[in-house]
Amino acid sequence: QVQVVESGGGLVQPGGSLRLSCAASGAIDMITVMGWHRQPPGKQRELVAAITDGGITQYADSVKGRFTISRDKAKMYLQMVSVKPEDTAVYYCKAFAGHRGYWGQGTQVTVAS
């Protein structure tokens, strides 16, 4: 079993920056891929970025060049810069371990002036 907890969400102005954190606990040695997903109001959840235990990263086209994912074993971060109103969403951390995915409860990010 793996537990993940997100933190760092909040209100940020357009063009501003924010850093999200995800802390995993439990069977962390089994974690392979970790990722950030988001669910904008009234829309489906979507992948934002992912990172393997080897450091290979993947980004959604909408955030390339603005968001940076990083990881230190059981902790993962999402550095967000030049944020836009369309980045407003609940951001979720997901960790894969033993062919199962484990979700956090989410953290709200609101981009507004």
Side-chain angles (χ1 to χ4, degrees):
Q1 291 283 342
V2 172
Q3 298 80 40
V4 292
V5 178
E6 306 93 338
S7 61
L11 174 64
V12 59
Q13 292 187 343
S17 301
L18 200 65
R19 189 172 92 147
L20 305 183
S21 299
C22 170
S25 59
I28 59 173
D29 288 339
M30 295 182 64
I31 296 175
T32 53
V33 179
M34 296 183 75
W36 289 99
H37 298 247
R38 68 185 180 187
Q39 186 164 16
K43 297 184 178 181
Q44 291 186 331
R45 196 173 298 189
E46 61 184 9
L47 175 67
V48 176
I51 185 167
T52 69
D53 50 1
I56 298 173
T57 59
Q58 176 187 356
Y59 295 92
D61 288 343
S62 59
V63 306
K64 283 181 181 176
R66 299 189 300 119
F67 291 9
T68 302
I69 190 171
S70 61
R71 177 178 170 183
D72 180 10
K73 192 168 185 179
K75 291 187 178 179
M76 180 178 65
Y77 307 95
L78 186 69
Q79 180 67 51
M80 308 164 62
V81 301
S82 302
V83 296
K84 304 175 181 179
E86 51 263 42
D87 294 322
T88 294
V90 178
Y91 284 71
Y92 297 90
C93 171
K94 186 175 184 180
F96 285 93
H99 307 292
R100 284 190 59 184
Y102 298 87
W103 291 96
Q105 292 299 308
T107 184
Q108 175 71 45
V109 172
T110 301
V111 182
S113 55

